[in-house]
Amino acid sequence: MARTRTTDADDLPRYFVWVRGLEGPEPQKWMAMDFGIGDWKRPLVLAYLELPPDERRLTLSALARRYPAPRVDP
């Protein structure tokens, strides 16, 4: 019998983040808001949102439809 792993809500990504990608904004899911270590991530982050527990299991595409990318001036 196959065992399924039960996932604690604390193990799931807590933030939906839009970052600056090579071809425009790209969605990502982060476990923590780690802007740290020399602030190297800060210029890449365009927008972020702390996810409520019921949205943490959603796919990136579902979150991207729900929370569209911010406008980015070239």
Side-chain angles (χ1 to χ4, degrees):
M1 183 170 160
R3 289 179 53 177
T4 58
R5 180 176 168 238
T6 58
T7 305
D8 188 347
D10 290 337
D11 293 342
L12 297 172
R14 294 178 170 268
Y15 295 90
F16 177 65
V17 183
W18 282 101
V19 297
R20 191 178 310 273
L22 295 175
E23 298 179 19
E26 295 180 6
Q28 295 183 358
K29 287 167 89 174
W30 289 6
M31 295 293 288
M33 285 306 297
D34 294 326
F35 288 117
I37 309 179
D39 294 333
W40 67 271
K41 288 184 186 178
R42 185 166 292 157
L44 301 178
V45 175
L46 300 171
Y48 66 93
L49 171 74
E50 185 170 5
L51 293 170
D54 60 328
E55 291 185 351
R56 291 179 187 172
R57 295 184 196 277
L58 294 177
T59 63
L60 277 177
S61 59
L63 289 168
R65 283 190 301 273
R66 190 172 287 192
Y67 306 110
R71 289 189 59 176
V72 179
D73 296 326

